[in-house]
Amino acid sequence: MKKLLTLLVFMACITAIRAHYSIHSASKDVLIESGGKQAPAKPGIEVKANDYLIIPEGQEVEIYNDLDKNIYKSLSSGKISVTRLMIDAKKMASNNNKNVASRLSLAKNSNSVEGEKIYTEKGMVRRSLAVFDPEAENIQINSKTLGQLIANFILNHDSSNFQNVDVELTNGKLDTEGYFFRVVNNQDFPVYFNVMKFDLMPETPDGKMEISVLGQPDGNYVLLPGQAITRETFSSLPEDERHFLVMTHFRYELDEVIEETANSLSNPDSIPSSSLSFPLLIKSL
């Protein structure tokens, strides 16, 4: 029995000594410092908990933990231990989980209306978005639901039923012929928005929906907490075009939303009459 106990203790020690962490990915200039020696951080290289990672400004590294099968991403530059990197990453993930939960809880009526879900899950998106909003990277607004709401806004010129998102929005004409808008995010999590336009000549369902010259054609604008963004155009906006900003707590597919909006405008009777309550800001510019 004593021999068996000794063997188990020995095996546990061996397991503790064996490295459970390895470099999953790293920018080209990231270094590993172990035992006073430095070496480039390359995928697959094993690291110990007390090893250090030297991360230049603007670069990053990811650690794979074989124990929990998770990948931990660096959040800042400088010299940081493997253990500290994972602790910070876990803390950030925990905060993001709480933020996502709080965002989802702001939507009433069980996140759906007349059989349509407000929030849908999509596949993993670009790595760059995962850095901004890692826990919400595969959540987006249902395109059909959002398109119906935008169509209702266009037809009725009314956004009073929407829950405004807590941001500061200013907009107006420039001293020249141009136009601008500025958004400040006062919330604890990112906001997503874009700018669309509707051709008012004639103001009928045949009017044309497109992205505005003030919009972002590839994806959405993503504004982190405590950030502001300003967009300007030095050309005047045509009087027969109505430009408006659409902001939510999660991303949405612009092309799909524009298509669903156009479908709803061509068939107004298909727009649900019940009010929908979730964080949404639609603002004419």
Side-chain angles (χ1 to χ4, degrees), residues 69-113:
K69 311 303 181 184
N70 285 329
I71 296 171
Y72 296 87
K73 187 184 187 68
S74 60
L75 302 176
S76 60
S77 59
K79 183 176 179 180
I80 184 172
S81 70
V82 172
T83 299
R84 172 51 60 183
L85 183 150
M86 292 193 295
I87 290 174
D88 290 346
K90 282 183 179 179
K91 183 177 180 182
M92 176 62 73
S94 175
N95 290 338
N96 281 328
N97 276 323
K98 292 177 182 177
N99 284 336
V100 170
S102 66
R103 276 182 271 178
L104 290 173
S105 68
L106 288 173
K108 300 178 182 177
N109 56 37
S110 302
N111 295 342
S112 64
V113 57

Side-chain angles (χ1 to χ4, degrees), residues 18 61 73 83 85 96 113 124 141 161 177 182 196 243 251 253 264 280:
R18 184 174 71 85
V61 59
K73 187 184 187 68
T83 299
L85 183 150
N96 281 328
V113 57
M124 300 296 284
I141 304 295
N161 290 328
E177 292 185 349
R182 184 173 190 267
M196 307 173 200
H243 297 248
R251 67 189 180 98
E253 293 291 342
S264 294
L280 171 65

